[in-house]
Amino acid sequence: LLDGANTLNNGAAALDDGLGQLTNGLDTLSANNAALNAGAQQVADGVLASANKTLKEGGLIDEDMTWSNYEAVIDNILTMNDKTLAAGRKKMVRTIWEQAPQFKASQLDLALYLSATKTDSDLEAALRLMQSYSPSMFVAMFQKATDPDARQVIHDELVLQTAQSQDIADVRALKDNLAQIQFFVSSVGQYADGVAAAADGAHAAKDGSTQLVAGAQTLLNGANRLLDGTHQLHSGLN
């Protein structure tokens, strides 16, 4: 009994010491939870701010997205609404001007229509670029720009080219990227909560091990007293 009580006492002491180290380590981790959560959110907010800046500069949004509405805002952009098409038209016309005079006739038709129906400055730029074209081409292009069926065809072409543009591909990718960032922040929060819960559990286990050490010591003391009493009884019998 004494040997067993001694082994139990030593084991309880070792367990208590180990739980003390675990508790201290988890307390250290828990102390950094707030900073960890804040850092993750700061990184995420920086990404969102950069996305807002890019979309505003591209003419796709007027108000900043938030973490609660970014999915709806991006989905609205991807519907090819008037704002998205206006941004696509602006980018398309600018690209065609930069490629002049290597642009194709179909691109030129589209650019002339889009510019003529939007701003005088774009129309003037279009006319300057077309100085080498024959008058008959000007007439044909003007007819295209004023014919309702042609306007619908050109509108459909604008929708198609905008939907297939790299800018819209980047917007689709942005939605996935923001979702991943949001998941990262959520995962960091879950990790921090797990560390806090583990620390609470470790403290409870440490309290239990302290009681176990006290109980083991009591048992060892009782075994020693029992052994002393047995020796005294043996001596008396002798």
Side-chain angles (χ1 to χ4, degrees):
L1 177 62
L2 180 62
D3 289 342
N6 189 58
T7 300
L8 175 61
N9 188 61
N10 291 336
L15 175 63
D16 188 61
D17 183 62
L19 285 173
Q21 295 178 30
L22 176 62
T23 300
N24 291 337
L26 288 173
D27 284 344
T28 300
L29 290 177
S30 295
N32 293 320
N33 278 350
L36 185 62
N37 281 324
Q41 190 62 56
Q42 184 177 5
V43 170
D45 290 345
V47 173
L48 185 63
S50 177
N52 280 323
K53 182 174 182 293
T54 299
L55 294 180
K56 279 186 173 180
E57 290 176 349
L60 294 172
I61 61 173
D62 294 321
E63 302 293 332
D64 282 347
M65 298 183 296
T66 66
W67 286 113
S68 61
N69 73 359
Y70 77 88
E71 291 179 310
V73 171
I74 292 177
D75 285 342
N76 188 44
I77 293 172
L78 297 177
T79 63
M80 299 295 110
N81 58 32
D82 290 342
K83 198 169 193 61
T84 302
L85 292 181
R89 169 203 163 273
K90 182 178 179 182
K91 180 69 174 288
M92 192 183 309
V93 171
R94 183 171 66 248
T95 301
I96 292 174
W97 293 168
E98 291 171 352
Q99 293 175 347
Q102 289 80 22
F103 47 71
K104 299 176 182 179
S106 61
Q107 292 176 313
L108 186 58
D109 293 344
L110 177 60
L112 177 61
Y113 168 70
L114 294 174
S115 59
T117 56
K118 295 298 179 181
T119 64
D120 293 338
S121 59
D122 284 344
L123 176 58
E124 183 181 352
L127 294 175
R128 284 202 305 268
L129 288 171
M130 294 188 299
Q131 287 177 358
S132 61
Y133 287 79
S134 66
S136 61
M137 181 174 289
F138 281 101
V139 174
M141 290 177 180
F142 178 76
Q143 290 175 342
K144 257 186 192 180
T146 56
D147 179 77
D149 292 336
R151 290 169 69 95
Q152 184 60 48
V153 170
I154 293 175
H155 174 77
D156 293 342
E157 181 67 15
L158 173 60
V159 172
L160 178 63
Q161 292 198 29
T162 301
Q164 295 178 346
S165 68
Q166 184 59 48
D167 287 345
I168 293 301
D170 291 341
V171 171
R172 291 192 185 95
L174 174 63
K175 182 180 178 182
D176 292 337
N177 291 338
L178 291 178
Q180 292 173 2
I181 290 292
Q182 198 171 33
F183 176 75
F184 162 73
V185 173
S186 175
S187 297
V188 170
Q190 291 176 6
Y191 164 78
D193 290 343
V195 169
D200 291 341
H203 277 285
K206 180 67 170 62
D207 292 341
S209 69
T210 299
Q211 295 176 10
L212 178 61
V213 168
Q217 186 61 53
T218 300
L219 178 61
L220 180 60
N221 293 338
N224 278 318
R225 287 195 297 272
L226 179 60
L227 182 60
D228 291 342
T230 301
H231 286 162
Q232 294 174 8
L233 177 61
H234 182 71
S235 297
L237 292 172
N238 288 335

